[in-house]
Amino acid sequence: MRDIHNQVTRVLAIGAVVASTTQNSAAIDLQGYDAAEILLDIGIGGITFTGVNRVDFQVTQSDDNSTYTNIADADVQGVIGTVSGFVKSLTALQAAPGVYRFGYIGNKRYLKISAVFGGTHGTGTPIAASILAARPRLAPTVAQA
């Protein structure tokens, strides 16, 4: 097998939480890395999602950690049929936990992830989000054990 351990760093965006309200990450600085993967962990839905009662996972980007814009569709891989800036939307029954990943191929230094809760959520849904920063300009990366 080939070494991947010394070539990646996982950065926590939204810690594992059972949420029923919008969750926002702090800025994630990608300086020193040439690739990034957006990772979402979503548990069984606390409600049956609809077009109104939903959760949208939004990713924004910035050059200066001050002005953020939605990522463009052209800057993300693995997204099918969503609105620009949103990588995943829960709009139907989420009967089983799932893991999702999306490649960021934009050129901005900073990313933020938000889980935007719309409508009414009487029961929370387990979520977590992180960024896997890869292709470091200086390796090995710092151990995270």
Side-chain angles (χ1 to χ4, degrees), residues 53-118:
N53 299 319
R54 59 191 292 145
V55 182
D56 296 300
F57 292 87
Q58 180 181 28
V59 181
T60 55
Q61 61 187 357
S62 174
D63 281 323
D64 59 8
N65 196 21
S66 178
T67 303
Y68 280 84
T69 59
N70 284 344
I71 57 170
D73 290 343
D75 290 339
V76 65
Q77 299 171 313
V79 175
I80 300 170
T82 62
V83 176
S84 183
F86 294 90
V87 295
K88 178 78 177 160
S89 293
L90 304 178
T91 58
L93 179 66
Q94 176 83 6
V99 294
Y100 307 91
R101 65 186 184 92
F102 308 94
Y104 176 70
I105 56 174
N107 60 1
K108 304 295 185 186
R109 177 174 170 179
Y110 299 95
L111 295 179
K112 288 184 180 181
I113 301 174
S114 297
V116 181
F117 283 71

Side-chain angles (χ1 to χ4, degrees), residues 30-42:
L30 297 175
Q31 184 175 28
Y33 293 89
D34 291 328
E37 190 83 356
I38 300 158
L39 307 173
L40 302 178
D41 304 306
I42 304 171

